[in-house]
Amino acid sequence: MEIDNPNSNNISDNKFSINVLQLLKSAQMQHGLRHGDYTRYRRYCTARLRRLYKSLKFTHGRGKYTRKTITESTVTEVRFLHLVLYTAERAWSHAMEKRQLPDGPNSRQRIYLIGRLRKAVKWATLFAQLCAIKGDSRTSLEAEAYASYMKGNLLFEQDQNWDTALMNFKSARAVYEELGKYGDLENQVLCRERVEELEPSIRYCLHKIGESNLQASELLQIGEMEGPALDLFKAKLEAVMAEARSQQAASMTEFHWLGHRFPISNAKTRVAIVKAQELEKDLHGPAADSLPAEKRLAIFDKIFTAYHEARSCIRSDLVSAGNAENVKDDLNGLDKAVSAVLGQRTIERNQLLVTLAKSKLTRRRDDKNEKVTKPEELVRLYDLLLQNTADLSDLVSSGRDRKPEELAFSEECALKSLSFRAERCFYLAKSYSLAGKRAEAYALYCRARSLAEDVLQKFRTLNENDQIIKELKMLCDECRSNSCIEHATGIMEEVKAPENLSKRVSNLSLTGADKKLEKYLLEKLDSYESAVGDPNVKGVSRIEVFPPAFQAIPRNPIVLDLAYNFIEFPSLESRMKKEKKGFLRLW
C-alpha cells in the first residue's frame, strides 16, 4: 500500500502530511462501517496495526511485554503517526461495538465502553501532539479536530460536562468548516459531510444545557440522518426515548379498543404499546402526507415489531397466570385487541403497497433499472388484502358479548372486503386483456363494475367519507370504458379472424426458419392447442420435420455355418473313375 512506503506523504523540512479525514473515511467505508459493522472495522484496525509494527520493526519482543512509547524522537516516518491514529480508531470502534449490542450495554459493559472511549481520547490526544510537532499545518489542524471529536464523544457518552462536550464539538466543526473551503473537491465534500454529522450532536448538547427548545419530533428527525459519526448520537437518542416512554407508560393503565377497556399490568407491555402508538402518530399526523413511501414502510415495520413484542409479553403473562380466571380473561381480551390493531396496520401497509404499485402501473420505463408493475402483482396484493380483512373480521366476531362498536367494525370490514374484490376483479380483467383474451376480460370488467356499484350504493347509505366514494366512482367509470373497449376490440378481431386465419394457414410450412419451436403439429395431435387461430401464437407453425431423419429398420439375419469346419466326410476315392495307363497312351 502507499501508506507503507516510507517515502510517501513526506514534504520538505521533515514535516509529514496526512489527510486524516480522507484516510479514515476510506478505511471505514471499505471495511464494515458502510453497513455499521464495527466488529469488522476493529479487526481491520488490529490487522493494520500488526502490519505497521512489523514493517517498522517496532515490535515489543518475545520476552516480558514492555510497551515501546512513541515520542517525538521516535517519529522518523509517517507510519509512526499511522500507528497512533489506528490505535485510537481501534479503541473507538471497540466502544461502538459494545454500544450496538442487541439489548444495549449493561452496567459492566458500559464501564468497559467508557474505558475504551477514554483510551481513544488518550491516543487521539497523543496523535494531535505529535502532528503539531512533526506534521504540517493542515495535518495538525485535522489532528486537533479529530482529538476534539473523540473528547466530545467521551463526554457525550458519560452524560456529563455538556458545556465541555459542546465546546469540543464546536471546535471540530469550525476546523472542518475551514478545511472544507480548500483542497480538492473530494476533500471538500468529506469535510462538509463531517460538519453535517457533527451538527446533531451540537444541537443535542444545546438542548441538554437548556439553550435550545428542541422538540422530540425534531430530535427524531435528526436521528434519521446517516453516518458513522451519528451512531453514538442515535444510541443516546434511543436511550432517552426509551426512558421517556417508560415514564409515559407508567401512567398508562388501560388499553381502549372498540368500547372495551383492558388493564395492563406488565411494564414491558405498556412500553411496547406506547412506542407503537407514538409511531402511529407519525403515520396519521398532519405531516404524514409529506412522508415518502419508503419512510412510511419503515415506520410500519417498527410498529409491527412493537406490537409483536407486546403480544409476546402478554402471552408470557398468560403462561404465568395460573388458574386466575379473571386475569386470564383480561389478558386474552388484551391479546385480541392488540392482534386486531396489528391486523388494521397490516391492511394499511398493504394498501400503501397497492398505491405504490398503481403509480408504477401506467408509468413509462424511463430508467432501464426501473421495474414496471404488472396487473398480476396487483391481483396478488388484493388477495393479501382480502385475506387480511377476513382474518380481522373473524377475530373481531369471535367474542360472545359483542358491543355496537364491534358490530359496526365488522360491517366496515365487510364493505372493505367487497371493495377489494371489485378492485381485484378489475386488475384480473386487465391481465386477461393483456393476454389477448377479450371475452374473459369483458366478462370480468362487467363483474367488477357490478361489484363496485353495489359497494358504492352501500357506502352512500352509510354516509362514509367522500374519498372512498370518489375512488369507487372512478372504478365504475374505468370498468365501463374498458368493457366497451374490450367489446369493440373483440368485434374487430372477430371480423378480421378469417383473414388472419387464412394468412396463417398459408404460412404453414414443413420446415420453416424457426428452430426454437418445441413441438411439431404432428406431435401435438392428442392436445388441443390452436396453431393458427390464436393471436398470441408467435412464429410460423411447422407440420413435420422435412426431410425426415434416418430411422433404423430390420433386415435379414446373417447365418454363419460354423459346423462345416468340424464335419468329417467319407472318402469317395473308390467311386472315382481311374485312368488307365499303357504303352500306347504315351504316344
Side-chain angles (χ1 to χ4, degrees), residues 316-343:
S316 299
D317 293 341
L318 272 171
V319 173
S320 59
N323 296 324
E325 294 297 331
N326 293 331
V327 176
K328 278 189 173 183
D329 290 341
D330 291 338
L331 289 174
N332 283 321
L334 181 60
D335 185 34
K336 175 183 173 181
V338 171
S339 301
V341 175
L342 184 59

